[in-house]
Amino acid sequence: MKTYDYIVVGAGAGGSAAASRLARGGRHSVLLIEAGRDDPWHWLRVPLGIGKVLTGKRALWRYWTAPEPHLNNREIFWPRGRVWGGTSTVNGMLWVRGDPAEYNSWAAQGCDGWDHASLLPRFQRMESTTLGEDAQRGRDGPVHVTRYGPDDPLSDGFIAACEGAGIARTDDYNGAQYGGVAYLQTNTRRGLRHGAREAYLHRMQDHAGLDILSDAVVQRVDFDGARAVSVVVKRAGHQEHYACRGEIILAAGAIDTPKLLELSGIGQGARLRQLGIDVVHDLPGVGEGLRDHLHTRLSFRCRNVVTLNQIMHNPLRKALFGLRYLLRRDGLMSGSTSTVHALVRTGDGPGQPDMKLQLHPMSSADARAAGKLVFDRFPGFGIGTFPLRPRATGSVHLGSADPDTPPVIVANYLGDPEDLVRAVAGVRLARKVAQQPALAAFDPVEIRPGDVAQSDDDIAAFIRETGTTSYHPVGSCRMGEGREAVVDARLRVRGVTGLRIADASIFPTMPSANTHAPSLLAGEMVADFILAGP
């Protein structure tokens, strides 16, 4: 059994950052274990390839929730990355650090060192960008961040329409002013995806201190008493064991990290005993506190503009579209399916933004919940909406002691009545923006939900029928104090030693909008804590 100083489970955002940082100085031996591989598939590099990736099985764990009781008992597709870089290799690449006020609330709840002032130098250390001001942004970090471009008439019109609806413009939502409307920033470089794989692993893969074990699924962590000492890995149909003299870091994500803890005997004691798993430590918060953003999208027919709809249904346009990307590496193929977002407060009085609007230069029959995307055959665009800070929480737990069996995911979307109130407000705000004179040149006509949904009850019915994931699961092993906290502020799993977590499962609440940048932050933070010593 080969022994390492540190073992990191999962080569997603947090795991890639943690393993790279721990190995970089050359003083430590680090093993990074990933269920996928360094897949060279070109759709994993081309940003707009996300549409192709999400409709297939390659590079994905194709998870589904249990029937969601508040979404007409629909099962919601929850894809997660199974590839170097994890979900950062299959996501929308939107670079959104999060709401400074939300991080300050974490610190106020007992997560010392997680206030925004303490986190800002870490965010800057991660970034390499020409955007924003030196006091706020990073210039020579591993993750390249660029602004979507070039500007286009529909996106400019949307920004002006948001301003007409009372939403201020922000020059840099990752800088001093978080709220407002702006072109999106993405983790791309020269028009190609630049996620955790490219930013951290490719530059470190030949480093003597880092071994990367691909196509290997960790089945459990083994303990000597209360100390984590080794991992059991399934690879090519055989079990392998790897020992750790220092610490084991779980970075398998908000679904697989709690699953792995339960397989290892850490979780709700009664639940584990019922599955025949020996209890190492009864930790009731494991698998609880799960949150995701519920995405609802309005679709509009429009005129006088070329959207992805015409491009995808016309072979000549599609060829020219691809040729432009090859020559210039910009435009729609250099981003995901959105160009602009607005972070806005819909509630009464001053306070944090509580809603996100997002412009999509396409419209779709929207079978996203089934993992498909069907473009309309006429020019169209969409406005996606989701409340930023959902109150309802769900869970993810083992349904079987068999490591190959997917866990049971209950998102519990709209489980708190206030979440539905906010979701309805988001739809109404999107309509208000679409009706502004700044978009009149495109003659937008709402086709989904359209005139059939005018009352709050009708809008709520539309949300229940079409709402789906924003791909932002967090919180299933939350950080903090109290009985339900799974890790402390230094990301150590409570009740045992030698075990930490560094992924989105530790977030006490939504850091606000998108989750990729905060997930990388978790890996940076755990490395800082370990390298700083006890």
Side-chain angles (χ1 to χ4, degrees):
M1 188 161 52
K2 191 169 182 180
T3 301
Y4 291 85
D5 293 325
Y6 300 104
I7 295 177
V8 181
V9 179
S16 296
S20 174
R21 285 283 316 287
L22 290 171
R24 190 175 304 157
R27 295 184 293 116
H28 306 296
S29 61
V30 180
L31 175 64
L32 176 60
I33 307 173
E34 168 54 40
R37 61 190 177 95
D38 187 16
D39 192 331
W41 193 22
H42 65 282
W43 289 122
L44 296 173
R45 298 298 316 281
V46 176
L48 195 60
I50 182 177
K52 179 72 171 178
V53 173
L54 293 180
T55 59
K57 296 181 179 179
R58 183 168 172 175
L60 288 182
W61 295 104
R62 294 185 65 85
Y63 289 128
W64 294 80
T65 71
E68 288 295 322
H70 306 292
L71 297 184
N72 298 345
N73 287 316
R74 291 184 294 126
E75 297 177 1
I76 307 301
F77 178 49
W78 271 29
R80 299 282 90 195
R82 180 174 175 157
V83 62
W84 279 25
T87 303
S88 82
T89 305
V90 301
N91 68 359
M93 297 156 295
L94 304 190
W95 189 256
V96 188
R97 290 177 175 178
D99 189 340
E102 199 67 21
Y103 292 122
N104 290 339
S105 77
W106 292 4
Q109 297 169 40
C111 300
D112 293 341
W114 289 83
D115 58 284
H116 183 255
S118 297
L119 299 181
L120 178 58
R122 272 82 172 219
F123 278 124
Q124 291 175 295
R125 186 175 67 194
M126 289 193 292
E127 288 183 337
S128 179
T129 185
T130 60
L131 301 171
E133 300 175 356
D134 290 347
Q136 297 288 331
R137 305 305 300 268
R139 302 305 185 202
D140 57 1
V143 183
H144 283 255
V145 179
T146 57
R147 198 203 79 162
Y148 174 83
D151 296 5
D152 65 83
L154 181 60
S155 298
D156 284 345
F158 182 78
I159 290 173
C162 284
E163 291 183 292
I167 302 170
R169 186 189 295 249
T170 178
D171 292 330
D172 181 11
Y173 59 81
N174 286 314
Q177 181 184 337
Y178 176 66
V181 60
Y183 272 94
L184 283 162
Q185 298 176 24
T186 58
N187 50 280
T188 53
R189 184 183 188 190
R190 302 191 184 103
L192 295 173
R193 179 186 293 273
H194 202 257
R197 175 173 69 166
E198 293 78 22
Y200 288 92
L201 298 187
H202 281 172
R203 65 174 60 193
M204 288 290 294
Q205 63 187 31
D206 296 323
H207 193 284
L210 177 64
D211 288 347
I212 304 177
L213 191 67
S214 299
D215 295 315
V217 179
V218 176
Q219 296 188 307
R220 70 174 186 273
V221 177
D222 281 341
F223 290 81
D224 181 2
R227 180 168 184 80
V229 294
S230 63
V231 295
V232 179
V233 174
K234 183 177 181 181
R235 188 175 184 228
H238 302 284
Q239 278 195 347
E240 301 174 0
H241 297 254
Y242 296 88
C244 182
R245 65 175 65 89
E247 298 192 61
I248 296 171
I249 301 152
L250 304 184
I255 298 173
D256 285 300
T257 285
K259 173 188 173 182
L260 186 52
L261 284 175
E262 290 186 335
L263 287 170
S264 306
I266 299 176
Q268 298 169 12
R271 182 185 294 274
L272 300 183
R273 282 187 284 267
Q274 191 173 28
L275 293 174
I277 297 173
D278 293 336
V279 178
V280 173
H281 180 60
D282 189 340
L283 195 56
V286 171
E288 300 294 327
L290 182 67
R291 283 184 169 92
D292 184 31
H293 287 132
L294 180 66
H295 181 110
T296 304
R297 186 179 301 177
L298 286 71
S299 296
F300 299 84
R301 185 196 301 264
C302 62
R303 297 191 302 167
N304 305 323
V305 65
V306 175
T307 67
L308 278 171
N309 292 10
Q310 297 108 299
I311 293 170
M312 299 310 292
H313 286 299
N314 185 304
L316 179 57
R317 284 187 185 274
K318 190 185 293 187
L320 293 173
F321 180 58
L323 180 61
R324 176 201 167 103
Y325 174 72
L326 288 174
L327 293 175
R328 301 183 58 174
R329 294 290 178 87
D330 65 4
L332 292 175
M333 283 194 75
S334 69
S336 58
T337 60
S338 54
T339 58
V340 174
H341 82 178
L343 302 165
V344 59
R345 180 164 179 79
T346 61
D348 295 332
Q352 295 172 251
D354 61 9
M355 183 66 58
K356 177 168 177 170
L357 304 185
Q358 195 161 285
L359 175 67
H360 300 270
M362 50 157 282
S363 65
S364 167
D366 206 4
R368 290 173 70 237
K372 296 184 293 184
L373 196 61
V374 182
F375 292 93
D376 289 322
R377 290 190 170 273
F378 46 78
F381 66 88
I383 302 178
T385 74
F386 58 78
L388 290 175
R389 299 195 304 281
R391 295 187 180 187
T393 61
S395 64
V396 52
H397 290 292
L398 293 178
S400 163
D402 179 1
D404 294 330
T405 301
V408 178
I409 303 167
V410 179
N412 195 30
Y413 293 115
L414 304 180
D416 187 299
E418 181 62 23
D419 290 345
L420 182 58
V421 172
R422 296 267 65 80
V424 170
V427 170
R428 292 202 179 279
L429 179 60
R431 283 177 164 169
K432 182 179 179 181
V433 169
Q435 293 164 1
Q436 296 301 308
L439 287 173
F442 307 107
D443 193 20
V445 177
E446 183 183 317
I447 56 173
R448 299 185 192 93
D451 292 339
V452 298
Q454 295 301 318
S455 70
D456 285 355
D457 287 345
D458 288 341
I459 295 172
F462 174 72
I463 292 167
R464 294 184 192 279
E465 180 60 33
T466 65
T468 190
T469 180
S470 294
Y471 312 113
H472 300 158
V474 306
S476 52
C477 296
R478 74 172 184 83
M479 169 177 58
E481 299 178 333
R483 187 170 181 270
E484 293 298 316
V486 175
V487 298
D488 64 15
R490 294 174 66 84
L491 304 183
R492 296 171 293 205
V493 176
R494 294 185 178 277
V496 297
T497 58
L499 187 64
R500 304 201 199 212
I501 299 177
D503 57 35
S505 70
I506 62 101
F507 300 161
T509 59
M510 280 289 183
S512 192
N514 304 76
T515 54
H516 176 226
S519 296
L520 285 171
L521 176 73
E524 292 275 350
M525 292 291 280
V526 83
D528 280 354
F529 295 144
I530 289 172
L531 294 174

